[in-house]
């Protein structure tokens, strides 16, 4: 019970030791001193809340927000002291916001609970008491032997004990973990592989010692000790023995395995990414504005309190005859009275802080994110993939990007490898019609049409066919002669590989005569020119990023022990002692200059004594529980030396469609592109030139192959000097991984200065963490630019998470990048639409939304502040409490929300075809201090017009009714409120460029709803209301012609200056975006704004008469529709469904 409570509170005790000991089938030692280790149960918990902690935890999270906490304090103040407004005015909006947010978060968590229960309740079979027992997944314990059948997913992390195959092997696919769809082979230790029945497994006595749980999917260190009669056999366990939860069993009837990690300790659960909360620049601006408005609020409350006491210094106003003080008031402390009055004014003016801003912004982001997924232009037909939004919080950040960091392979290129050339024994070869042809020979030349392979060529191709991790479709491996079609023609073998390079090489070898036909037990089978050969696989030296190579040790049919190695030229050539090393190095450089991906191939023969030493060292390193990786690395280095170089391969990875155009568009938009790749220098430069990242006219600077700090610093200083001296318009910089490490160690500032003066930067030979380091370096520089990282592989995850915006490409290197990204797209070319259209729209929408909210709340509360000068600062409220409550919730909420979802101030096609328009919104241009100041001053100006306009028109002795009856203070407040609701709604209409039927419905509907609500609220005596100050007030107000005149006059007075300012600015100082609005193509008439038209042939600076005609709507031409069809040639390729059909009107 105590452990359950600790788990619920998140205080589960950490593991005490570095390793865990697991007794298979939970056969614990019988001696009394053994204390079993405690392990997690097998429940997966992805939910955030429980029934018990939902209310307190959710409330705690919501009240961490400044606005929510502020309104809670105001609500409590209203409950504690006598305030001018009812606690309901603050409590109801707060309750509404908290409830809506809680319902949304609760629903999302309920869905997670539902998914968890489905997983935890799945049926599984466990070996217990000599038989198979069916139970639920959540009941599996560490040490249980679990049976998994074909095509089922593994319910826990299992160590493989046996399968239906004699050699104890099985095939799995880990697509749900890392996205790799290739089949991976896992193998049981020989002693347990023979135990294929439940009865035999039940007799197994064995102990597994392994490391404690860790998130790395590809790392597992352990050993199994099997007790057989009187001896104990120890075998190493590595990643090849571990079957991960979430992976699926393929091409194997059934397997048995022992549970080693369960529940939240499985590698899948440890990889659940709790993403660090990324905050957009807009959110940071919002918080700054809130603080400014809090200062305004405090200033107004303090000023009102001081003026109240200054006024009451005169005795006649301190206690007027009509408002005598009680005994308690006379005797109360002046300090307490001052604090009480200050709090009362704080309550009176508290609506200047827009509580509904947060909930509106959340709804806008959540609903707006669907448009990205629905956009047909971001849909990739070939792969049937649409854009995906993982984080809707950063939509507007897409409109603020200044730097793009991109991977090369699979992001700029297709990651579809095609074999192009190879170098064997110092001679270059090309594949011509399925034959290896030496360079310079054609198929028709005497040596070009050979049917046999030379000894060196055959050995090279055998090395390619044996040194890999390629798998063959299991349906094709049956039969010694390979698969055949019904017509007797051999079917091509279908290969699966985690690396596209390996697949391309094995396929190329099979086309020229050396075919890999599959594995059988511990043997690899090939056909060399039709003749079958079987090689016994003795050891695999797995690939790792540090060594940059992989090797296999095999026994040839003649009994010879051979090591075949392939890897990057930097890791193979220095370890080669013979072969055509110099010629091959020249060929490798030539391949790289053509943009090909290069690998070198080498081999080594072992004497029996050497092999015995190798086998012994490998066994010792693989059975070590401590520092296994370091010991293995040492042994691998010992084995992979004194190599004989066979040759090199050149594989082409073709560029994705429209990469060059996309990079050029990004450059025009003022965005700098950095390419970060692991490829070698020459290959990376060649691809950069071909994709337009580097131009032929660009002055390319290099910072490569530096081994010491001093040489690196000297080179950086020379580059900085050269950039200053050269008057070349553009520079490009190439940096390699080792030089970058030196530059970042002590010369960060100098390195950044050089980089910022270069229009394109290429970093090659980069490790994944170096990519993230570069992004962080730029992100935290003094200018604080907004960064975007885009990649497709697991090696790009660190930079995707580090950047402000991370984008995953749905490529061929798995789904890890997509899972850890904020947005995912199928192709690099979609980036332009994502930034220039969606990013532009989202930023403009939310910038207007945030500032409009502050504007309408200034309009709302300032008249309340001005009213205090006319009521002796008695804290009398100007508006009825129902109006105070519903102003932000009902009367003015929908028009701005709909605007923030559908607004398109420029046509999407124009935005995409003119990337330079992106510069207009860069550096938070629409949400800086100047625009914010403009909206705030506008709010104060409109508020003064509302209040003093109403006051002048309804002066002290003005009779507005035919019978001479005077209006009271509630009528005055209602007039001010009516003018305000109409004005702020019309202001939103003025800001709207793109009108749909929904905009019309909510804009005019909000005004109509206000009038209908007021008529019902004031026209009926409601029995449940304690007082009804507004009874018949609204009806009486509307029965006065003078009141109608006042409403129209004040609204026009407020908005007229807005319209004039808008038109004059657009004609005298138009921005690029406003010019683009003038030139929307394909029509003789173009809409300058939702209310103004201009003929295409007319100059922008038209005569004043023409301008006034547009403002007053006398331009006779019909407004062109903003929708388009496939028959329209200008818009034919733009299939975005962002744009709704518009309502054509008789005039603009």
């Amino acid at each position: 019970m105590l452990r359950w409570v600790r788990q619920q509170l998140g205080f589960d005790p950490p593991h005490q030791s570095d390793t865990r000991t697991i007794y298979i089938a939970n056969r614990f030692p019988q001696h009394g001193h053994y204390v079993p280790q405690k392990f997690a149960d097998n429940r997966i918990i992805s939910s955030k809340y429980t029934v018990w902690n939902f209310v307190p935890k959710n409330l705690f999270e919501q009240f961490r927000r400044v606005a929510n906490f502020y309104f809670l304090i105001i609500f409590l103040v209203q409950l504690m002291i006598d305030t001018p407004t009812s606690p309901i005015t603050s409590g109801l909006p707060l309750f509404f916001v908290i409830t809506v947010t809680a319902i949304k978060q609760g629903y999302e968590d309920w869905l997670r609970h539902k998914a968890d229960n489905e997983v935890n309740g799945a049926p599984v079979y466990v070996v217990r008491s000599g038989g198979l027992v069916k139970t639920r997944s959540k009941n599996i314990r560490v040490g249980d032997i679990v049976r998994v059948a074909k095509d089922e997913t593994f319910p826990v992390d299992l160590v493989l004990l046996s399968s239906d195959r004699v050699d104890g092997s099985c095939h799995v696919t880990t697509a749900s973990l890392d996205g790799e769809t290739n089949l991976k082979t896992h193998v049981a230790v020989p002693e347990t592989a023979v135990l294929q029945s439940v009865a035999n497994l039940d007799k197994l006595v064995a102990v597994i010692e392994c490391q404690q749980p860790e998130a790395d999917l590809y790392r597992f260190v352990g050993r199994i000790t099997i007790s057989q009669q009187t001896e104990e056999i120890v075998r190493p366990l590595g990643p090849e023995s571990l079957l991960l939860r979430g992976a699926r069993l393929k091409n194997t009837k059934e397997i048995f395995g022992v549970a080693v990690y369960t529940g939240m300790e499985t590698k899948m659960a440890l990889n659940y990414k709790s993403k660090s909360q990324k905050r957009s620049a807009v959110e940071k601006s919002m918080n700054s504005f809130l603080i400014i408005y809090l200062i305004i609020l405090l200033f107004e409350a303090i000023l009102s309190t001081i003026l109240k006491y200054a006024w009451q210094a005169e005795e006649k106003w301190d206690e007027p005859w009509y408002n005598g003080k009680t005994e308690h008031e006379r005797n109360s402390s002046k300090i307490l009275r001052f604090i009480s009055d200050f709090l009362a004014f704080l309550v009176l003016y508290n609506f200047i802080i827009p509580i509904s801003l947060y909930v509106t912004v959340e709804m806008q982001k959540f609903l707006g994110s669907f448009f990205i997924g629905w956009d047909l232009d971001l849909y990739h037909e070939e792969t049937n993939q649409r854009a995906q939004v993982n984080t809707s919080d950063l939509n507007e950040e897409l409109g603020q990007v200044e730097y793009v960091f991109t991977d090369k392979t699979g992001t700029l290129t297709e990651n579809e490898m095609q074999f192009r050339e190879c170098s064997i024994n110092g001679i270059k070869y090309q594949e011509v019609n399925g034959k290896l042809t030496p360079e310079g020979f054609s198929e028709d030349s005497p040596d070009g049409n050979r049917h046999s392979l030379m000894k060196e060529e055959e050995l090279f191709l055998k090395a390619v066919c044996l040194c890999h991790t390629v798998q063959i479709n299991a349906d094709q491996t049956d039969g010694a002669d390979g698969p055949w079609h019904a017509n007797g023609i051999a079917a091509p073998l279908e290969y699966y590989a985690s690396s596209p390079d390996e697949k391309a090489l094995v396929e190329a070898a099979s086309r020229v005569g050396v075919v890999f036909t599959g594995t059988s037990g511990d043997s690899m089978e090939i056909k060399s020119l039709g003749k079958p050969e079987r090689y016994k696989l003795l050891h695999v030296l797995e690939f790792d990023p540090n060594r940059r190579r992989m090797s296999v040790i095999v026994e040839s049919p003649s009994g010879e022990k051979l090591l075949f190695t392939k890897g990057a030229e930097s890791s193979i050539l220095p370890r080669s002692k013979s072969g055509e090393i110099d010629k091959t190095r020249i060929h490798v450089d030539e391949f790289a200059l053509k943009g090909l991906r290069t690998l070198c191939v080498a081999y080594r023969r072992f004497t029996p004594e050497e092999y015995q030493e190798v086998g012994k060292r490998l066994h010792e390193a693989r059975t070590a529980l401590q520092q296994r990786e370091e010991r293995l690395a040492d042994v691998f280095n010992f084995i992979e030396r004194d190599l004989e170089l066979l040759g090199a391969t050149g594989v082409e990875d073709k560029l994705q469609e429209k990469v060059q155009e996309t990079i050029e568009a990004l450059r025009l938009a003022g965005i700098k592109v950095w390419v970060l790749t692991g490829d070698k220098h020459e290959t990376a430069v060649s691809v950069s030139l071909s994709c337009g990242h580097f131009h032929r006219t660009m002055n390319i600077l290099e910072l490569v192959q530096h081994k010491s700090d001093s040489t690196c610093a000297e080179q950086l200083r020379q580059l900085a000097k050269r950039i200053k001296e050269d008057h070349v318009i553009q520079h490009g910089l190439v940096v390699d991984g080792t030089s970058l490490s030196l530059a970042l160690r002590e010369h960060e500032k100098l390195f950044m200065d050089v980089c910022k003066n270069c229009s394109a930067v290429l970093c090659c030979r980069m490790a994944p963490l170096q990519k993230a380091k570069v992004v962080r370096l730029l992100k935290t520089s003094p200018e604080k630019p907004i960064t975007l990282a885009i990649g497709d592989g697991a090696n790009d995850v660190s930079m995707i998470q580090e950047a402000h915006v991370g984008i995953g490409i749905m490529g061929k290197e798995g789904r890890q990048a997509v899972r850890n990204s904020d947005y995912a797209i199928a192709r690099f070319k979609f980036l332009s639409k994502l930034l220039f259209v969606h990013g532009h729209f989202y930023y403009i929408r939310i910038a207007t939304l945030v500032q409009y909210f502050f504007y309408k709340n200034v309009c709302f509360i300032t008249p309340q502040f001005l009213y205090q000068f006319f009521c002796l600062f008695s804290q009398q409220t100007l508006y009825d409490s129902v109006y105070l409550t519903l102003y932000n919730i009902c009367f003015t909420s929908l028009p701005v929300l709909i605007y923030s979802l559908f607004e398109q101030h420029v046509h999407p096609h124009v935005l995409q075809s003119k990337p330079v328009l992106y510069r207009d919104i860069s550096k938070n241009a629409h949400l800086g201090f100047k625009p914010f100041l403009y909206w705030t001053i506008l709010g104060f100006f409109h508020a003064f017009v509302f209040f003093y306009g109403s006051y002048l028109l309804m002066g002290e002795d003005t009779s507005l009714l035919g019978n001479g009856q005077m209006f009271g203070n509630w009528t005055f407040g209602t007039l001010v409120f009516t003018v305000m609701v109409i004005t702020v709604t019309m202001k939103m209409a003025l800001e709207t460029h793109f009108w749909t039927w929904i905009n019309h419905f909510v804009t005019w509907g909000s005004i109509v709803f206000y009038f209908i609500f007021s008529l019902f609220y004031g026209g009926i005596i409601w029995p449940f209301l304690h007082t009804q100050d507004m009874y018949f007030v609204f009806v009486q107000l509307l029965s006065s012609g003078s009141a109608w005149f006042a409403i129209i006059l004040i609204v026009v007075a407020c908005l007229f200056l807005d319209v004039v300012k808008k038109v004059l600015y657009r004609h005298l100082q138009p921005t690029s975006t406003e010019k683009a609005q003038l030139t929307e193509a394909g029509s003789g008439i173009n809409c300058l704004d939702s209310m103004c038209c201009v003929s295409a042939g007319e100059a922008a600076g038209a005569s004043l008469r023409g301008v006034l005609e547009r403002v007053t709507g006398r331009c006779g031409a019909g407004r062109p529709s903003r929708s388009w069809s496939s028959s329209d040639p200008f818009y034919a390729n733009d299939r975005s469904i962002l744009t709704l059909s518009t309502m054509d009107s008789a005039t603009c």
Side-chain angles (χ1 to χ4, degrees), residues 110-129:
W110 176 75
L111 292 178
R112 285 192 284 268
H113 270 285
K114 196 175 171 186
D116 289 347
N117 292 338
E118 204 172 305
V119 170
N120 295 331
V124 292
Y125 288 92
V126 178
V127 176
R128 282 182 188 156
S129 309

Side-chain angles (χ1 to χ4, degrees), residues 13 113 259 364 414 433 531 586 756 797 843 876 925 927 960 999 1069 1112:
H113 270 285
Q364 189 269 345
E414 287 283 6
N433 294 333
K531 178 188 166 190
I586 292 166
K756 284 175 184 174
V797 169
Y843 177 73
Q876 167 64 37
L927 208 56
L960 295 180
N999 292 81
Q1069 288 183 316
T1112 53

